[in-house]
Amino acid sequence: VLVGMNLSAESMAKNNATFTSMEKAIKLDVFEWEDYALSYVMASINTEVDESVAYKADEYAQRLSAAKSNTIHYNLTAYYLTTGNIADAMNNALKHMSYCTSSSDDWNSMFDLLMSVQGIYGFYPEYTNGVSELISMMNRWDEKNIGSIQLNDNAKEFVLRFQ
């Protein structure tokens, strides 16, 4: 039964990718609901949506924030930065990097994302404290593991502004 529900949800999401079909897929598929919920959340910031879709996207984002994942939290960071929820953005950034601490690529991507909104949020304590906490996390990992995080030039510049 569960596999059949999984296949039905997959078909709905692929053949008719609307907010309504994604909602149905989320409810049907106990195995892949996070994928459909994340698609719903990210689609909500890429198109004009009504208030009910925005509200539902935020509900799904909150549920997804509890996930143990090395990919979901990066996307939720972008979602929350786009919607202006700095505290949840920074919490998800920290979660993402706790799963990907050793990855230079992930550090560069995260710092690129945070740089892209610095002009908007650069004076908010939630943003500056969150960036500082991320830098501390990276530095602690580097010290403990003999410095193997390689930042690109833009990320290095960004980090230097916060130290």
Side-chain angles (χ1 to χ4, degrees):
V1 172
L2 292 177
V3 173
M5 292 168 69
N6 172 266
L7 294 173
S8 292
E10 181 182 17
S11 175
M12 259 187 261
K14 284 185 178 176
N15 297 330
N16 187 23
T18 65
F19 288 109
T20 303
S21 66
M22 284 189 276
E23 269 188 78
K24 288 178 184 175
I26 291 163
K27 290 175 185 170
L28 271 177
D29 195 340
V30 296
F31 301 114
E32 304 292 334
W33 76 269
E34 290 174 340
D35 292 340
Y36 302 124
L38 187 59
S39 293
Y40 188 103
V41 167
M42 297 312 289
S44 76
I45 60 173
N46 293 322
T47 58
E48 283 290 318
V49 296
D50 64 35
E51 195 173 306
S52 67
V53 170
Y55 180 80
K56 186 61 89 174
D58 206 48
E59 280 184 354
Y60 290 141
Q62 289 297 319
R63 283 178 57 195
L64 288 166
S65 289
K68 293 180 178 175
S69 168
N70 65 346
T71 57
I72 289 173
H73 299 289
Y74 178 85
N75 290 301
L76 290 178
T77 301
Y79 168 77
Y80 283 123
L81 288 171
T82 302
T83 61
N85 187 335
I86 305 164
D88 282 340
M90 298 315 293
N91 286 334
N92 277 282
L94 288 163
K95 282 181 188 178
H96 176 71
M97 293 317 305
S98 73
Y99 287 106
C100 305
T101 314
S102 65
S103 170
S104 296
D105 289 341
D106 281 290
W107 282 109
N108 284 311
S109 294
M110 183 58 69
F111 288 138
D112 285 345
L113 176 60
L114 294 172
M115 267 187 285
S116 74
V117 297
Q118 186 178 17
I120 301 167
Y121 300 125
F123 297 103
Y124 287 84
E126 296 98 333
Y127 175 85
T128 57
N129 293 340
V131 171
S132 295
E133 197 171 339
L134 282 165
I135 293 167
S136 293
M137 177 191 286
M138 180 188 68
N139 289 337
R140 282 190 307 273
W141 192 91
D142 245 7
E143 289 168 11
K144 188 176 176 183
N145 296 283
I146 313 172
S148 61
I149 301 295
Q150 301 297 313
L151 296 179
N152 62 38
D153 290 340
N154 288 334
K156 283 180 192 173
E157 242 179 78
F158 181 70
V159 167
L160 285 174
R161 284 186 243 147
F162 281 89
Q163 292 181 326

